[in-house]
Amino acid sequence: MTAHATDYRWFSEAFPGLREAYCLTLVEGVSPEELLRRAGAEPEERHTGVSELVEAAYDAWDEYDGDRLFIAATPLGGWALAVEPNGYLGIAAPVLAALSAGTRLVSHFRNVNAVDHFHWQRDGHNLLHFEPLFPARRDGSEAGAAAGIMREAGFDLTEGDEHDHTLHTEAAFALAERLTGVRLTAELLESAAFVAGTAPRPRG
């Protein structure tokens, strides 16, 4: 895959509300319903397009006061894609372990305070974890070997204040595509059929 951060400039323009706070997770070889169940949610609703998901997620936040989190999933090229507006199930340690059991997972997250995380796991094992805003600081069994593909996706791995972080969120999308082979587009996210539910907020 040759995906680069510049290929994902559309994300901020098409989905400004989602970009402000999101978690996207790709899990290989599972159905959307299985993904939800692994996350602790039962499939309860159906939605079309990310715009509907944003509204539903904030409605759930108001209803449950953050004690339950909204998550929606759709099938995509042999993977299931989970979208969480203002959510974080896909980066929570106990959920990461459940989602990646027996398979591969890539997830990335950003909140309203620009705190962000990227995870690449296989069967509960941390292959790569880092904050896209600070990509030089990373851990996992592939942390060293991943430097090349991270640079190719658009990350500047320069240490300290010198590094360019202009498109770090977009670079997370590009790296996810390089690791999974799944390309996201604005059209796909606006037309996809999602199954959705809510899961208990992870503890610990």
Side-chain angles (χ1 to χ4, degrees):
M1 305 304 294
T2 60
H4 187 268
T6 52
D7 297 325
Y8 283 92
R9 290 182 186 273
W10 57 262
F11 181 59
S12 297
E13 299 167 3
F15 306 108
L18 185 62
R19 185 189 190 280
E20 186 174 289
Y22 77 89
C23 185
L24 296 183
T25 306
L26 283 157
V27 183
E28 188 177 28
V30 303
S31 68
E33 291 80 6
E34 173 64 14
L35 188 156
L36 261 61
R37 292 190 181 100
R38 288 186 179 207
E42 284 299 321
E44 297 171 345
E45 310 169 9
R46 294 195 177 272
H47 298 277
T48 300
V50 162
S51 297
E52 285 190 18
L53 301 186
V54 172
E55 182 177 352
Y58 281 94
D59 286 346
W61 188 272
D62 290 340
E63 180 177 355
Y64 298 110
D65 197 25
D67 285 333
R68 296 186 67 85
L69 301 176
F70 177 87
I71 182 170
T74 190
L76 202 56
W79 298 67
L81 168 69
V83 178
E84 300 177 68
N86 197 37
Y88 56 89
L89 289 166
I91 63 152
V95 181
L96 272 169
L99 289 177
S100 67
T103 188
R104 294 188 296 156
L105 167 152
V106 171
S107 66
H108 52 105
F109 155 93
R110 173 182 171 135
N111 71 11
V112 293
N113 298 314
V115 174
D116 54 7
H117 290 278
F118 188 101
H119 290 271
W120 178 27
Q121 292 206 352
R122 180 185 294 116
D123 197 18
H125 175 68
N126 175 28
L127 300 174
L128 176 66
H129 165 251
F130 65 97
E131 297 176 53
L133 191 57
F134 305 106
R137 311 172 193 167
R138 54 195 186 276
D139 58 82
S141 62
E142 299 296 321
I149 194 173
M150 290 175 67
R151 288 192 181 93
E152 290 169 0
F155 285 108
D156 181 353
L157 302 187
T158 305
E159 295 274 6
D161 297 331
E162 299 293 324
H163 83 281
D164 179 8
H165 56 264
T166 308
L167 295 176
H168 66 280
T169 296
E170 291 79 359
F173 276 81
L175 181 58
E177 179 181 339
R178 284 173 174 264
L179 293 174
T180 65
V182 176
R183 168 158 287 202
L184 300 183
T185 66
E187 294 75 18
L188 185 153
L189 291 178
E190 276 294 31
S191 62
F194 291 89
V195 59
T198 62
R201 177 166 57 92
R203 307 289 180 179

